[in-house]
Every structure is written in structure tokens, then in C-alpha cells.
Amino acid sequence: MTGSGSEILLPRRKRRRRSNWRGLVYIAPAMALVIVFFIMPVLFTGWMSLHNWPLMGASRWIGFNNYVRMANDTRFMTALNFTAYYTVIVTIAIFAIAFPLAIFVEKERQFVGAYRTIIFLPVVVGLATASLLWVWLANVDSGFIGPALKALGLVEKSPNLLATFDTAFLTIVVMVVWKIAGFTMIILLTGLQAIPSELTEAARIDGAGRWQRFRHLTLPLMRKTIALALIVSVTGSILAFDQFYIMTSGGPQNKMISVVYYIFNQSFVSFNLGYGAALSIVLLAILMAISIVQLWLLRVGEERP
């Protein structure tokens, strides 16, 4: 009996080994892409951050001096503060627009497909293209926004929306919300459609109002979807570059320089590639920490009774 049992186990082990090797073969292309296009560049960037690495000439080992320099770099701290401020404002604005839109297009009604398409259309426009479009729209002479405000009687003359910090920042926020809200709406829409209609109907029969159903049923069941949309929005906002570079060139008065914009200036304008690499590593660590905290908060919320 023992001999026959071991004979049965051997083929099973062989099948498991074959299955494991087969699985490795299937994921090998994806692993290769991750290694070549993510892990190796990150490792090389970390190596660069430990050197004085000019654009021309030989690099020189300096250890952690770039990171020490970063702690005393007031311009980097200013860029970090501005990026955090921009991230909070843009994320709140996107969710404030995308969530009502997702609720609006979630129910089957006439022309709902057209509504979804129209709202999603700006997403397919590249961010650089959208920034150039809004530069034209905000132009004081040939644009559309200034003359429209003047025609509505809101202003006496067409304003230069990109000339001051407040109006330029508001213009960029509106552009980003116009560009990204449709994508966030689609993510939230998938979460809304995944909620069983039986639960909503049972809550309605029990006398729960719209706000009660939204607060006690919709939001808890959409926790993972909201977390995904939040991580995508926060990550994209922290990595913002195109809109500030194209629309304002970091102005006015260098008040709209994001962290990525500052890394770009250090790396490809001042040619401090080693310092730019150190800034990139710190930014990657910040993104990872924020994502981990968001996922941890999601898990804590699920464990609550």
C-alpha cells in the first residue's frame, strides 16, 4: 500500500512542477518588461543619485551628498509644498465632478450612451495637447474664455488668465478636471454598477432615503473602487508636469513649479543629473508611501464591524 501510494504521489508532483514551469513561461514576458523598463531604470537612477553626474564628462562618487543637499534646498521644499497643495485641490475637484457624473450616467436612460461618450471624450486628448488648447482658450487677444466673460458682463475687459498666480492656477485646475474627470467617472461607474440592485431595492423598501442609501450602502460597497480612483488621481497630480511647463513655464514668478518640473530643471537645464536622480528617488519613495497609507486605510476600514 505504501509503495502504491508513493507511485500515485510522484505523477502528481510532476504535474505540479510542469504546471509551475508553465505558469512561469506565461508570465516571463511581463516579468521581462517590468525588469527592463522599471526595476533596472530605478536601480540605475539610484546609482546615479550617489554620484556627481554631469551631462558631459566623467561622474564622481559622492555618496549621500545629493540627499544631504536636498534637505537644505529651499526651492525643492517650495516645489514640494506647491505640489501637495495642487494635489489636494485637484483631487477634491475631480471627485466633486466625477462622482455626480458617475451617478448620473449609471442609470439607464435616453441618450445615456451619448452622455458617457461626451464626458469621456477629453480623456483621449493628450495632456500636452489639452494644455496647448487651453493656452489658446485663455489667450487675452485671440482666446475664447476672456471675450466670453466680457460678453457675459462678468469683467470689464478680457483678462489675461495666465498672468497672475490665482487665475493661472484656477485655469490649470479647470483644464485638468475637464481632462481627467471622465476617466475617474468611468472608474467610479464600474463600482456603482457592481452594487447588486437587490440591496438598493431592499434599502428603498425599508424606507432609506437617497442620502441614507448613498452613505450607508453605496460608499461602503465602493470603498475599493474609490481607493483605486484616489490612488490614480493623487499619483497623477504629484507627477504633474506638462500643464505647468506648457501653460505657465513655472510662472508667474516661479510660483507654479511642481516637483517633476523642478527635477526636469535640475536634470536637463542645470545638467545636475545626479541631483535630479536623487530627487527622483525621493519622489518615488513619497509616491510609494502615499499608496501604502491609502491601501492601509482601506484595509482598516474593511476590518471595522
Side-chain angles (χ1 to χ4, degrees), residues 209-284:
R210 290 185 178 181
W211 170 247
Q212 291 175 322
R213 295 198 302 269
F214 178 77
R215 179 182 177 184
H216 299 289
L217 181 64
T218 302
L219 286 180
L221 293 177
M222 288 188 61
R223 189 181 295 274
K224 290 185 178 180
T225 306
I226 294 174
L228 173 62
L230 189 62
I231 290 174
V232 171
S233 179
V234 169
T235 302
S237 300
I238 293 176
L239 297 177
F241 169 74
D242 299 52
Q243 55 269 46
F244 301 116
Y245 180 74
I246 294 174
M247 296 182 68
T248 65
S249 298
Q253 299 177 350
N254 294 328
K255 292 182 178 180
M256 302 183 70
I257 295 180
S258 64
V259 172
V260 176
Y261 197 163
Y262 186 69
I263 294 173
F264 169 80
N265 283 335
Q266 289 296 319
S267 300
F268 304 110
V269 177
S270 301
F271 302 129
N272 297 322
L273 297 181
Y275 187 53
L279 293 169
S280 300
I281 293 297
V282 170
L283 180 59
L284 175 62

Side-chain angles (χ1 to χ4, degrees), residues 92-104:
I92 293 175
I94 288 176
F95 271 78
I97 299 297
F99 219 134
L101 288 176
I103 294 174
F104 174 72

